[in-house]
Amino acid sequence: MTNNKGTVYLIGAGPGDPGLLTVRGLECIRQADVIVYDRLAGPRLLEQRRPDAQCIFVGKKPDRHTLSQEEINQLLVDKALQGHTVARLKGGDPFLFGRGGEEAEELARHGIPFEIIPGVTSAIAVPAYAGIPVTHRDFTSTLAIITGNEDPTKENSNIQWSKIATGVGTLIFLMGMGNLPGITQKLTEHGRDPATPVALIRWGTRPEQKTLVGRLDNISQMALDQGFKNPAIIIVGEVVQLRDKLSWFENKPLFGKRILVTRSREQASSLSQAIYNLGGEPVEFPTIAIAPPEDSAPLENALARLPEYNWIIFTSVNGVNYFFDALRRLNSDIRNLKGLKICAIGPQTGKALQKMALQTAYIPTEYRAEAIVEGLKDQIAPGDRVLLPRADIARKILPEALSRLDARVDEVTAYRTVLGNGNAEVIRNMLAEDAIDLITFTSSSTVRNFITLLGTVSPGQLVKNAKVACIGPITAATARELGLPVHIEADTYTINGLLQAILNIQ
Protein backbone atom coordinates (compact mmCIF):
# COMPACT_ATOMS: atom_id res chain seq x y z
CA MET A 1 0.00 0.00 0.00
CA THR A 2 1.39 3.40 -0.97
CA ASN A 3 1.85 5.95 1.80
CA ASN A 4 0.93 9.37 0.42
CA LYS A 5 1.53 11.21 3.67
CA GLY A 6 4.03 14.04 3.64
CA THR A 7 6.79 14.58 6.17
CA VAL A 8 6.84 17.39 8.71
CA TYR A 9 10.16 18.88 9.80
CA LEU A 10 10.00 20.67 13.16
CA ILE A 11 12.87 23.10 12.72
CA GLY A 12 14.52 25.28 15.32
CA ALA A 13 15.06 28.53 13.42
CA GLY A 14 17.37 30.02 16.03
CA PRO A 15 16.96 33.34 17.85
CA GLY A 16 16.79 35.69 14.84
CA ASP A 17 20.17 35.98 13.14
CA PRO A 18 19.67 33.90 9.95
CA GLY A 19 23.31 32.80 10.13
CA LEU A 20 22.47 30.73 13.22
CA LEU A 21 20.18 28.34 11.34
CA THR A 22 21.62 24.83 11.14
CA VAL A 23 22.70 23.34 7.82
CA ARG A 24 20.05 20.62 8.16
CA GLY A 25 17.37 23.22 8.84
CA LEU A 26 18.33 25.11 5.69
CA GLU A 27 18.13 21.91 3.62
CA CYS A 28 14.60 21.26 4.86
CA ILE A 29 13.42 24.81 4.14
CA ARG A 30 14.71 24.58 0.58
CA GLN A 31 12.87 21.35 -0.15
CA ALA A 32 9.57 22.17 1.60
CA ASP A 33 6.23 22.51 -0.19
CA VAL A 34 4.73 24.39 2.76
CA ILE A 35 6.45 26.57 5.36
CA VAL A 36 4.62 27.27 8.62
CA TYR A 37 6.49 29.94 10.58
CA ASP A 38 6.42 31.89 13.84
CA ARG A 39 6.94 35.55 14.65
CA LEU A 40 10.44 34.90 15.95
CA ALA A 41 11.59 32.97 12.87
CA GLY A 42 13.77 35.44 10.93
CA PRO A 43 12.14 36.71 7.71
CA ARG A 44 15.35 36.24 5.73
CA LEU A 45 14.99 32.49 6.20
CA LEU A 46 11.92 32.56 3.97
CA GLU A 47 14.09 33.86 1.12
CA GLN A 48 15.61 30.36 0.98
CA ARG A 49 12.31 28.73 0.07
CA ARG A 50 11.35 27.36 -3.31
CA PRO A 51 9.54 29.96 -5.44
CA ASP A 52 6.38 27.83 -5.42
CA ALA A 53 6.41 27.05 -1.70
CA GLN A 54 3.37 28.12 0.33
CA CYS A 55 4.15 30.26 3.39
CA ILE A 56 1.73 30.35 6.33
CA PHE A 57 2.27 32.72 9.27
CA VAL A 58 1.09 31.37 12.64
CA GLY A 59 2.91 33.81 14.91
CA LYS A 60 1.82 34.59 18.44
CA LYS A 61 2.06 37.79 20.41
CA PRO A 62 1.29 38.08 24.13
CA ASP A 63 -1.99 39.82 23.30
CA ARG A 64 -2.90 38.14 20.02
CA HIS A 65 -2.56 34.68 18.45
CA THR A 66 -2.92 34.20 14.70
CA LEU A 67 -3.90 30.58 15.35
CA SER A 68 -4.30 28.67 18.58
CA GLN A 69 -1.85 25.87 19.29
CA GLU A 70 -4.56 23.31 18.54
CA GLU A 71 -5.20 24.96 15.18
CA ILE A 72 -1.49 24.94 14.38
CA ASN A 73 -1.32 21.24 15.22
CA GLN A 74 -4.26 20.55 12.93
CA LEU A 75 -2.75 22.64 10.14
CA LEU A 76 0.44 20.55 10.19
CA VAL A 77 -1.60 17.36 10.12
CA ASP A 78 -3.81 18.55 7.27
CA LYS A 79 -0.91 19.66 5.08
CA ALA A 80 0.97 16.42 5.65
CA LEU A 81 -2.13 14.32 4.90
CA GLN A 82 -2.36 16.19 1.58
CA GLY A 83 1.08 14.77 0.76
CA HIS A 84 3.08 17.96 1.31
CA THR A 85 6.56 18.25 2.75
CA VAL A 86 6.15 20.73 5.59
CA ALA A 87 8.83 22.87 7.24
CA ARG A 88 7.60 24.08 10.63
CA LEU A 89 9.86 27.00 11.55
CA LYS A 90 9.97 27.75 15.26
CA GLY A 91 12.05 30.44 16.92
CA GLY A 92 14.96 29.07 18.98
CA ASP A 93 14.76 25.33 19.58
CA PRO A 94 11.47 23.46 19.07
CA PHE A 95 11.79 21.49 22.31
CA LEU A 96 12.72 24.39 24.61
CA PHE A 97 9.46 26.13 25.53
CA GLY A 98 8.57 25.93 21.84
CA ARG A 99 5.67 23.47 22.20
CA GLY A 100 7.40 21.30 19.64
CA GLY A 101 6.69 18.28 21.81
CA GLU A 102 2.93 18.88 21.49
CA GLU A 103 3.15 19.25 17.73
CA ALA A 104 5.24 16.09 17.43
CA GLU A 105 2.76 14.18 19.61
CA GLU A 106 -0.11 15.19 17.34
CA LEU A 107 1.82 14.12 14.24
CA ALA A 108 2.68 10.80 15.85
CA ARG A 109 -0.99 10.25 16.78
CA HIS A 110 -1.91 10.53 13.08
CA GLY A 111 0.99 8.35 11.94
CA ILE A 112 2.65 11.22 10.08
CA PRO A 113 6.44 10.98 9.59
CA PHE A 114 8.29 13.83 11.28
CA GLU A 115 11.81 14.89 12.07
CA ILE A 116 13.12 17.20 14.80
CA ILE A 117 15.79 19.66 13.69
CA PRO A 118 17.30 21.18 16.85
CA GLY A 119 17.93 24.92 16.84
CA VAL A 120 20.23 27.38 18.55
CA THR A 121 18.29 28.48 21.61
CA SER A 122 17.95 32.14 22.55
CA ALA A 123 18.79 31.15 26.13
CA ILE A 124 22.43 30.64 25.09
CA ALA A 125 22.81 32.68 21.89
CA VAL A 126 21.20 35.95 22.98
CA PRO A 127 23.42 36.42 26.06
CA ALA A 128 26.41 35.51 23.89
CA TYR A 129 25.48 38.27 21.39
CA ALA A 130 25.28 40.67 24.34
CA GLY A 131 28.75 39.65 25.53
CA ILE A 132 27.51 37.54 28.46
CA PRO A 133 28.68 33.91 28.78
CA VAL A 134 26.06 31.91 30.65
CA THR A 135 28.80 29.99 32.47
CA HIS A 136 32.34 31.04 33.38
CA ARG A 137 34.84 29.28 35.61
CA ASP A 138 35.42 32.44 37.66
CA PHE A 139 31.70 32.96 38.33
CA THR A 140 29.53 29.85 38.01
CA SER A 141 29.30 26.37 36.55
CA THR A 142 25.54 26.03 36.93
CA LEU A 143 22.75 27.23 34.69
CA ALA A 144 18.96 27.04 34.78
CA ILE A 145 16.56 27.93 31.96
CA ILE A 146 13.12 28.83 33.28
CA THR A 147 9.86 29.84 31.68
CA GLY A 148 8.96 33.43 32.41
CA ASN A 149 5.33 32.91 31.46
CA GLU A 150 4.27 31.42 34.77
CA ASP A 151 2.74 33.92 37.19
CA PRO A 152 5.13 33.99 40.21
CA THR A 153 2.22 34.83 42.54
CA LYS A 154 0.14 31.72 41.90
CA GLU A 155 -0.14 29.31 44.80
CA ASN A 156 0.95 26.05 43.17
CA SER A 157 3.98 27.04 41.14
CA ASN A 158 5.92 24.52 39.07
CA ILE A 159 9.06 26.55 39.75
CA GLN A 160 10.91 25.73 42.96
CA TRP A 161 11.93 29.29 43.78
CA SER A 162 13.63 28.37 47.03
CA LYS A 163 16.04 26.08 45.21
CA ILE A 164 16.84 28.05 42.08
CA ALA A 165 17.20 31.40 43.87
CA THR A 166 20.44 30.41 45.61
CA GLY A 167 21.18 26.96 44.19
CA VAL A 168 21.96 27.96 40.59
CA GLY A 169 24.55 30.50 39.45
CA THR A 170 22.98 31.76 36.19
CA LEU A 171 19.23 32.00 35.72
CA ILE A 172 17.72 32.54 32.26
CA PHE A 173 14.03 33.44 32.09
CA LEU A 174 12.42 33.25 28.65
CA MET A 175 9.32 35.27 27.73
CA GLY A 176 9.17 36.81 31.19
CA MET A 177 9.02 40.58 30.74
CA GLY A 178 5.36 40.72 31.80
CA ASN A 179 6.26 38.97 35.06
CA LEU A 180 9.56 40.73 35.70
CA PRO A 181 8.54 42.42 39.00
CA GLY A 182 7.22 39.12 40.36
CA ILE A 183 10.32 37.20 39.25
CA THR A 184 12.73 39.61 40.92
CA GLN A 185 10.61 39.65 44.07
CA LYS A 186 10.49 35.85 44.30
CA LEU A 187 14.26 35.56 43.89
CA THR A 188 15.04 38.10 46.60
CA GLU A 189 12.39 36.66 48.94
CA HIS A 190 14.14 33.30 48.68
CA GLY A 191 17.61 34.56 49.43
CA ARG A 192 19.15 35.94 46.23
CA ASP A 193 21.21 39.07 46.90
CA PRO A 194 19.25 42.15 45.72
CA ALA A 195 22.51 43.50 44.27
CA THR A 196 22.82 40.53 41.87
CA PRO A 197 23.44 41.80 38.31
CA VAL A 198 20.56 41.38 35.83
CA ALA A 199 20.49 41.93 32.08
CA LEU A 200 17.44 42.28 29.86
CA ILE A 201 18.11 41.61 26.16
CA ARG A 202 15.44 42.49 23.61
CA TRP A 203 15.36 41.19 20.02
CA GLY A 204 18.68 39.43 20.63
CA THR A 205 20.98 38.66 17.66
CA ARG A 206 19.03 41.08 15.43
CA PRO A 207 19.77 44.70 14.41
CA GLU A 208 17.18 45.86 16.96
CA GLN A 209 19.04 44.16 19.82
CA LYS A 210 18.95 46.27 22.95
CA THR A 211 20.48 45.43 26.32
CA LEU A 212 19.56 46.90 29.68
CA VAL A 213 21.73 46.09 32.72
CA GLY A 214 20.74 46.63 36.33
CA ARG A 215 20.31 44.72 39.59
CA LEU A 216 17.56 42.60 41.07
CA ASP A 217 16.41 45.51 43.21
CA ASN A 218 16.12 48.08 40.41
CA ILE A 219 15.77 46.32 37.04
CA SER A 220 11.96 46.31 37.09
CA GLN A 221 11.79 50.08 37.52
CA MET A 222 14.50 50.58 34.89
CA ALA A 223 12.53 48.48 32.42
CA LEU A 224 9.37 50.43 33.15
CA ASP A 225 11.15 53.78 32.73
CA GLN A 226 12.61 52.74 29.38
CA GLY A 227 9.55 50.94 28.04
CA PHE A 228 11.47 47.68 27.75
CA LYS A 229 9.08 45.00 26.42
CA ASN A 230 8.93 41.53 24.89
CA PRO A 231 10.43 39.73 23.09
CA ALA A 232 13.27 39.70 25.59
CA ILE A 233 15.15 37.36 27.86
CA ILE A 234 16.11 37.93 31.47
CA ILE A 235 19.52 36.79 32.67
CA VAL A 236 20.34 36.86 36.37
CA GLY A 237 23.82 36.20 37.73
CA GLU A 238 27.34 37.47 38.26
CA VAL A 239 28.27 36.58 34.66
CA VAL A 240 26.41 39.74 33.58
CA GLN A 241 29.47 41.68 34.83
CA LEU A 242 31.46 40.37 31.86
CA ARG A 243 29.34 42.30 29.37
CA ASP A 244 31.48 45.45 29.57
CA LYS A 245 34.54 43.43 28.60
CA LEU A 246 33.07 40.94 26.13
CA SER A 247 30.41 42.91 24.22
CA TRP A 248 31.17 42.35 20.53
CA PHE A 249 28.01 42.33 18.42
CA GLU A 250 26.81 45.76 19.49
CA ASN A 251 30.30 47.13 18.81
CA LYS A 252 30.29 46.21 15.12
CA PRO A 253 30.37 49.30 12.87
CA LEU A 254 27.01 48.66 11.20
CA PHE A 255 25.23 47.26 14.25
CA GLY A 256 21.59 48.22 14.35
CA LYS A 257 21.48 49.19 10.67
CA ARG A 258 19.04 47.56 8.29
CA ILE A 259 20.36 48.17 4.77
CA LEU A 260 18.46 47.73 1.51
CA VAL A 261 20.40 46.01 -1.29
CA THR A 262 18.91 46.77 -4.70
CA ARG A 263 21.31 44.79 -6.90
CA SER A 264 20.15 41.81 -8.92
CA ARG A 265 19.62 38.62 -6.95
CA GLU A 266 22.69 37.04 -8.58
CA GLN A 267 24.94 39.95 -7.63
CA ALA A 268 23.54 40.83 -4.21
CA SER A 269 25.40 38.20 -2.22
CA SER A 270 28.78 39.95 -2.02
CA LEU A 271 27.33 43.22 -0.74
CA SER A 272 24.86 41.47 1.56
CA GLN A 273 27.58 39.30 3.08
CA ALA A 274 29.81 42.31 3.68
CA ILE A 275 26.96 44.17 5.42
CA TYR A 276 26.24 41.12 7.56
CA ASN A 277 29.91 40.74 8.51
CA LEU A 278 29.95 44.38 9.64
CA GLY A 279 26.98 43.83 11.94
CA GLY A 280 24.18 45.16 9.76
CA GLU A 281 21.16 43.34 8.39
CA PRO A 282 20.94 43.27 4.59
CA VAL A 283 17.46 43.36 3.09
CA GLU A 284 17.59 42.19 -0.51
CA PHE A 285 15.21 43.96 -2.90
CA PRO A 286 16.35 43.03 -6.42
CA THR A 287 15.22 45.95 -8.55
CA ILE A 288 17.00 44.62 -11.61
CA ALA A 289 17.46 41.23 -13.20
CA ILE A 290 19.98 40.20 -15.81
CA ALA A 291 18.68 38.43 -18.93
CA PRO A 292 20.14 37.29 -22.27
CA PRO A 293 19.70 39.58 -25.28
CA GLU A 294 16.43 39.25 -27.18
CA ASP A 295 18.45 38.92 -30.37
CA SER A 296 21.77 37.13 -29.93
CA ALA A 297 22.77 37.41 -33.60
CA PRO A 298 24.83 40.66 -33.28
CA LEU A 299 26.92 39.21 -30.45
CA GLU A 300 27.35 35.88 -32.22
CA ASN A 301 28.35 37.61 -35.46
CA ALA A 302 30.96 39.62 -33.57
CA LEU A 303 32.31 36.44 -31.95
CA ALA A 304 32.68 34.88 -35.40
CA ARG A 305 34.89 37.82 -36.41
CA LEU A 306 37.04 38.15 -33.29
CA PRO A 307 40.39 38.16 -35.16
CA GLU A 308 39.27 41.32 -36.95
CA TYR A 309 39.24 43.37 -33.73
CA ASN A 310 42.08 45.26 -32.10
CA TRP A 311 40.36 45.90 -28.73
CA ILE A 312 37.60 44.46 -26.58
CA ILE A 313 36.28 46.69 -23.81
CA PHE A 314 34.32 45.09 -20.97
CA THR A 315 32.32 47.48 -18.79
CA SER A 316 30.92 44.98 -16.26
CA VAL A 317 31.29 41.51 -14.83
CA ASN A 318 27.96 40.65 -16.46
CA GLY A 319 29.41 41.58 -19.84
CA VAL A 320 32.30 39.19 -19.26
CA ASN A 321 30.03 36.35 -18.17
CA TYR A 322 27.58 36.66 -21.04
CA PHE A 323 30.39 37.11 -23.58
CA PHE A 324 32.00 33.84 -22.57
CA ASP A 325 28.65 32.05 -22.25
CA ALA A 326 28.04 32.91 -25.90
CA LEU A 327 31.55 31.80 -26.81
CA ARG A 328 30.91 28.40 -25.25
CA ARG A 329 27.49 28.12 -26.82
CA LEU A 330 29.04 28.58 -30.26
CA ASN A 331 31.81 26.08 -29.49
CA SER A 332 34.23 28.85 -30.34
CA ASP A 333 37.90 28.80 -29.39
CA ILE A 334 39.32 31.21 -26.84
CA ARG A 335 42.47 31.29 -28.96
CA ASN A 336 40.52 33.55 -31.32
CA LEU A 337 41.24 36.28 -28.77
CA LYS A 338 44.95 36.03 -29.46
CA GLY A 339 46.45 39.41 -30.22
CA LEU A 340 43.44 41.41 -29.01
CA LYS A 341 44.00 44.03 -26.33
CA ILE A 342 41.50 43.90 -23.49
CA CYS A 343 40.25 46.76 -21.36
CA ALA A 344 38.20 46.34 -18.17
CA ILE A 345 36.30 49.20 -16.53
CA GLY A 346 37.36 48.22 -13.01
CA PRO A 347 39.08 45.67 -10.78
CA GLN A 348 36.09 43.34 -10.41
CA THR A 349 35.67 43.13 -14.17
CA GLY A 350 39.41 42.56 -14.40
CA LYS A 351 39.16 39.69 -11.89
CA ALA A 352 36.37 38.11 -13.95
CA LEU A 353 38.70 38.16 -16.96
CA GLN A 354 41.56 36.74 -14.90
CA LYS A 355 39.34 33.73 -14.10
CA MET A 356 39.36 33.12 -17.85
CA ALA A 357 43.19 33.32 -17.79
CA LEU A 358 43.05 36.64 -19.67
CA GLN A 359 45.17 39.65 -18.80
CA THR A 360 43.95 43.20 -19.27
CA ALA A 361 45.94 45.83 -21.13
CA TYR A 362 44.24 48.69 -19.33
CA ILE A 363 42.08 49.32 -16.25
CA PRO A 364 41.38 53.00 -15.48
CA THR A 365 41.97 54.36 -12.00
CA GLU A 366 38.49 55.90 -12.04
CA TYR A 367 35.94 53.24 -12.85
CA ARG A 368 33.63 54.85 -15.41
CA ALA A 369 33.35 55.26 -19.16
CA GLU A 370 34.89 58.74 -19.27
CA ALA A 371 38.10 57.41 -17.69
CA ILE A 372 38.32 54.59 -20.24
CA VAL A 373 38.28 57.08 -23.09
CA GLU A 374 40.86 59.30 -21.40
CA GLY A 375 43.19 56.38 -20.82
CA LEU A 376 42.85 54.87 -24.29
CA LYS A 377 43.02 58.02 -26.38
CA ASP A 378 46.76 57.57 -26.93
CA GLN A 379 46.54 53.79 -27.33
CA ILE A 380 43.77 53.41 -29.88
CA ALA A 381 44.89 54.26 -33.40
CA PRO A 382 42.59 55.66 -36.09
CA GLY A 383 40.85 52.78 -37.82
CA ASP A 384 41.24 50.36 -34.91
CA ARG A 385 38.26 48.10 -34.51
CA VAL A 386 36.76 47.99 -31.00
CA LEU A 387 34.24 45.43 -29.75
CA LEU A 388 32.02 46.68 -26.96
CA PRO A 389 29.85 43.84 -25.51
CA ARG A 390 27.63 45.30 -22.79
CA ALA A 391 24.13 45.99 -21.46
CA ASP A 392 21.31 47.09 -23.70
CA ILE A 393 20.71 50.26 -21.66
CA ALA A 394 24.34 51.32 -21.19
CA ARG A 395 25.20 55.00 -21.61
CA LYS A 396 26.24 56.06 -25.12
CA ILE A 397 29.16 58.20 -24.03
CA LEU A 398 31.76 55.44 -24.53
CA PRO A 399 31.01 54.40 -28.13
CA GLU A 400 30.50 58.04 -29.15
CA ALA A 401 33.81 59.13 -27.63
CA LEU A 402 35.67 56.20 -29.21
CA SER A 403 34.18 57.08 -32.59
CA ARG A 404 35.55 60.60 -32.21
CA LEU A 405 38.98 58.96 -31.92
CA ASP A 406 38.30 57.50 -35.39
CA ALA A 407 37.93 54.01 -33.97
CA ARG A 408 35.40 51.70 -35.61
CA VAL A 409 33.15 50.59 -32.75
CA ASP A 410 30.84 47.58 -32.77
CA GLU A 411 28.53 47.99 -29.79
CA VAL A 412 26.62 44.73 -29.24
CA THR A 413 24.14 43.72 -26.57
CA ALA A 414 25.66 40.96 -24.44
CA TYR A 415 22.87 41.03 -21.85
CA ARG A 416 19.75 42.94 -20.90
CA THR A 417 18.97 44.74 -17.67
CA VAL A 418 15.29 44.19 -16.90
CA LEU A 419 12.93 44.98 -14.04
CA GLY A 420 13.59 42.85 -10.95
CA ASN A 421 11.08 40.87 -8.96
CA GLY A 422 11.59 42.29 -5.47
CA ASN A 423 8.60 42.35 -3.15
CA ALA A 424 7.60 46.02 -3.42
CA GLU A 425 4.77 45.79 -0.89
CA VAL A 426 7.10 44.56 1.85
CA ILE A 427 9.62 47.31 1.13
CA ARG A 428 6.96 50.03 1.02
CA ASN A 429 5.74 48.91 4.44
CA MET A 430 9.25 48.78 5.87
CA LEU A 431 10.01 52.28 4.61
CA ALA A 432 6.72 53.57 5.99
CA GLU A 433 7.56 52.06 9.38
CA ASP A 434 11.12 53.48 9.30
CA ALA A 435 12.45 49.93 9.35
CA ILE A 436 15.09 50.68 6.67
CA ASP A 437 18.08 52.79 7.71
CA LEU A 438 20.00 52.92 4.45
CA ILE A 439 19.29 52.27 0.74
CA THR A 440 22.17 51.32 -1.55
CA PHE A 441 22.22 51.89 -5.30
CA THR A 442 24.97 50.39 -7.45
CA SER A 443 23.86 51.65 -10.88
CA SER A 444 21.45 54.08 -12.47
CA SER A 445 19.19 51.19 -13.46
CA THR A 446 18.81 50.12 -9.81
CA VAL A 447 17.58 53.64 -9.04
CA ARG A 448 15.12 53.82 -11.94
CA ASN A 449 13.70 50.38 -11.23
CA PHE A 450 13.45 51.10 -7.50
CA ILE A 451 11.14 54.01 -8.33
CA THR A 452 9.22 51.93 -10.88
CA LEU A 453 8.66 48.98 -8.54
CA LEU A 454 7.53 51.13 -5.64
CA GLY A 455 5.20 53.06 -7.92
CA THR A 456 5.46 56.34 -6.05
CA VAL A 457 5.18 59.87 -7.39
CA SER A 458 7.04 61.21 -4.36
CA PRO A 459 10.24 59.17 -3.93
CA GLY A 460 11.80 61.67 -1.56
CA GLN A 461 8.84 61.45 0.80
CA LEU A 462 8.91 57.65 0.75
CA VAL A 463 12.56 57.49 1.84
CA LYS A 464 12.47 60.59 4.05
CA ASN A 465 13.93 58.82 7.10
CA ALA A 466 16.38 56.55 5.28
CA LYS A 467 19.80 57.55 3.98
CA VAL A 468 20.65 56.92 0.34
CA ALA A 469 24.12 55.65 -0.67
CA CYS A 470 25.29 55.59 -4.30
CA ILE A 471 28.27 53.82 -5.79
CA GLY A 472 29.41 56.86 -7.78
CA PRO A 473 28.52 60.20 -9.37
CA ILE A 474 26.55 58.81 -12.33
CA THR A 475 24.28 56.78 -10.06
CA ALA A 476 24.00 59.70 -7.64
CA ALA A 477 23.01 62.07 -10.47
CA THR A 478 20.25 59.67 -11.54
CA ALA A 479 18.96 59.45 -7.96
CA ARG A 480 18.78 63.22 -7.64
CA GLU A 481 17.09 63.60 -11.04
CA LEU A 482 14.37 61.19 -9.88
CA GLY A 483 13.76 63.04 -6.63
CA LEU A 484 15.82 61.01 -4.18
CA PRO A 485 18.20 62.66 -1.71
CA VAL A 486 21.78 61.40 -1.80
CA HIS A 487 23.57 61.28 1.53
CA ILE A 488 26.56 59.09 0.65
CA GLU A 489 28.55 58.97 -2.59
CA ALA A 490 31.51 56.62 -2.93
CA ASP A 491 34.83 58.06 -4.08
CA THR A 492 35.93 54.66 -5.36
CA TYR A 493 33.24 53.22 -7.64
CA THR A 494 33.28 49.66 -6.34
CA ILE A 495 31.32 47.68 -3.74
CA ASN A 496 34.22 48.03 -1.31
CA GLY A 497 34.33 51.75 -2.03
CA LEU A 498 30.60 52.02 -1.34
CA LEU A 499 30.97 50.16 1.95
CA GLN A 500 33.87 52.38 3.01
CA ALA A 501 31.84 55.48 2.24
CA ILE A 502 29.01 54.12 4.38
CA LEU A 503 31.39 53.35 7.24
CA ASN A 504 32.87 56.83 7.06
CA ILE A 505 29.59 58.40 8.14
CA GLN A 506 28.72 55.91 10.89
Side-chain angles (χ1 to χ4, degrees):
M1 180 177 177
T2 302
N3 183 358
N4 293 322
K5 295 176 183 177
T7 301
V8 177
Y9 297 94
L10 300 176
I11 304 169
D17 182 341
L20 298 181
L21 179 71
T22 63
V23 173
R24 179 60 178 152
L26 182 59
E27 290 174 351
C28 294
I29 291 172
R30 287 174 172 170
Q31 72 182 35
D33 304 309
V34 179
I35 300 175
V36 179
Y37 65 103
D38 282 347
R39 180 170 70 118
L40 299 182
R44 287 188 64 200
L45 299 181
L46 297 180
E47 296 175 4
Q48 300 297 327
R49 70 188 187 278
R50 291 192 341 235
D52 61 336
Q54 180 185 12
C55 293
I56 304 173
F57 176 66
V58 296
K60 301 175 183 178
K61 293 184 178 181
D63 59 343
R64 185 174 72 254
H65 291 184
T66 306
L67 295 179
S68 68
Q69 186 60 53
E70 292 72 21
E71 290 171 325
I72 294 172
N73 295 349
Q74 190 60 49
L75 175 65
L76 299 178
V77 170
D78 291 344
K79 291 298 181 181
L81 290 177
Q82 293 167 12
H84 296 302
T85 298
V86 182
R88 170 68 170 112
L89 283 183
K90 304 174 73 66
D93 181 271
F95 277 7
L96 184 62
F97 305 139
R99 305 191 72 171
E102 297 171 45
E103 294 175 6
E105 282 184 299
E106 188 68 12
L107 295 168
R109 191 169 72 83
H110 286 83
I112 293 171
F114 64 90
E115 183 175 326
I116 309 300
I117 314 296
V120 176
T121 173
S122 61
I124 306 297
V126 169
Y129 269 56
I132 302 171
V134 293
T135 64
H136 189 285
R137 64 183 300 172
D138 294 335
F139 293 94
T140 183
S141 298
T142 57
L143 165 70
I145 303 172
I146 309 134
T147 178
N149 272 337
E150 184 183 275
D151 183 357
T153 64
K154 75 177 187 179
E155 291 185 11
N156 299 314
S157 173
N158 291 323
I159 300 172
Q160 298 187 40
W161 294 99
S162 61
K163 295 183 178 179
I164 66 168
T166 56
V168 180
T170 301
L171 304 176
I172 305 287
F173 292 88
L174 301 184
M175 303 165 291
M177 286 303 300
N179 291 322
L180 180 60
I183 291 171
T184 57
Q185 180 180 343
K186 280 290 186 183
L187 291 176
T188 52
E189 282 180 356
H190 287 89
R192 195 77 170 212
D193 186 347
T196 302
V198 181
L200 311 179
I201 310 166
R202 187 169 192 264
W203 286 120
T205 79
R206 295 166 51 126
E208 303 95 330
Q209 176 173 306
K210 184 177 180 181
T211 306
L212 181 64
V213 175
R215 312 187 318 176
L216 271 178
D217 57 3
N218 66 8
I219 193 65
S220 294
Q221 187 61 48
M222 291 175 67
L224 182 64
D225 292 343
Q226 297 196 26
F228 214 89
K229 301 176 181 178
N230 274 316
I233 76 162
I234 304 163
I235 176 168
V236 179
E238 300 302 324
V239 289
V240 172
Q241 299 177 56
L242 291 166
R243 170 174 160 76
D244 289 340
K245 185 186 297 183
L246 301 183
S247 180
W248 60 275
F249 181 53
E250 294 167 41
N251 292 333
K252 286 195 171 190
L254 293 182
F255 169 74
K257 303 297 182 184
R258 186 173 280 112
I259 300 176
L260 197 66
V261 177
T262 58
R263 304 185 88 193
S264 68
R265 199 173 299 279
E266 297 82 3
Q267 294 177 304
S269 59
S270 60
L271 178 54
S272 294
Q273 188 62 49
I275 291 168
Y276 176 79
N277 291 343
L278 291 167
E281 179 181 346
V283 178
E284 293 186 0
F285 178 49
T287 62
I288 63 172
I290 307 303
E294 291 181 335
D295 181 6
S296 61
L299 177 59
E300 292 175 355
N301 290 337
L303 294 179
R305 295 181 287 108
L306 281 177
E308 299 176 14
Y309 292 99
N310 303 97
W311 283 88
I312 301 180
I313 300 177
F314 291 100
T315 58
S316 69
V317 173
N318 287 323
V320 174
N321 293 338
Y322 275 86
F323 178 91
F324 283 97
D325 283 347
L327 205 63
R328 296 185 193 97
R329 189 170 62 249
L330 295 173
N331 292 318
S332 188
D333 196 321
I334 197 171
R335 286 174 292 186
N336 289 334
L337 294 170
K338 182 180 179 181
L340 274 73
K341 295 179 181 178
I342 299 175
C343 171
I345 196 170
Q348 295 306 314
T349 305
K351 287 179 181 179
L353 290 164
Q354 284 181 342
K355 290 180 180 178
M356 304 296 177
L358 294 173
Q359 299 300 315
T360 53
Y362 178 66
I363 297 178
T365 55
E366 187 179 358
Y367 312 132
R368 55 177 180 158
E370 290 84 347
I372 290 179
V373 176
E374 182 64 26
L376 292 183
K377 66 181 182 181
D378 295 325
Q379 299 189 53
I380 291 181
D384 276 357
R385 297 201 64 172
V386 179
L387 178 59
L388 190 55
R390 57 188 196 146
D392 58 329
I393 61 171
R395 293 189 302 146
K396 295 300 180 183
I397 186 170
L398 182 55
E400 291 172 355
L402 291 171
S403 294
R404 288 195 291 271
L405 297 176
D406 293 327
R408 293 183 294 165
V409 182
D410 287 343
E411 181 186 9
V412 296
T413 298
Y415 64 95
R416 290 181 298 131
T417 300
V418 300
L419 195 66
N421 60 353
N423 192 324
E425 182 179 359
V426 169
I427 300 305
R428 273 194 297 268
N429 291 338
M430 293 182 75
L431 288 168
E433 295 168 2
D434 295 335
I436 299 292
D437 299 290
L438 183 70
I439 303 168
T440 61
F441 294 115
T442 55
S443 67
S444 290
S445 56
T446 60
V447 181
R448 295 190 192 96
N449 289 4
F450 175 81
I451 301 299
T452 300
L453 284 168
L454 293 182
T456 175
V457 294
S458 181
Q461 183 66 20
L462 183 67
V463 303
K464 62 180 179 179
N465 294 322
K467 288 187 169 63
V468 172
C470 294
I471 200 168
I474 304 301
T475 304
T478 302
R480 293 188 181 100
E481 288 169 10
L482 294 175
L484 292 174
V486 176
H487 306 89
I488 302 168
E489 185 178 319
D491 295 325
T492 303
Y493 317 144
T494 63
I495 294 301
N496 287 338
L498 178 61
L499 284 167
Q500 189 56 57
I502 292 169
L503 291 173
N504 288 342
I505 69 160
Q506 297 307 309

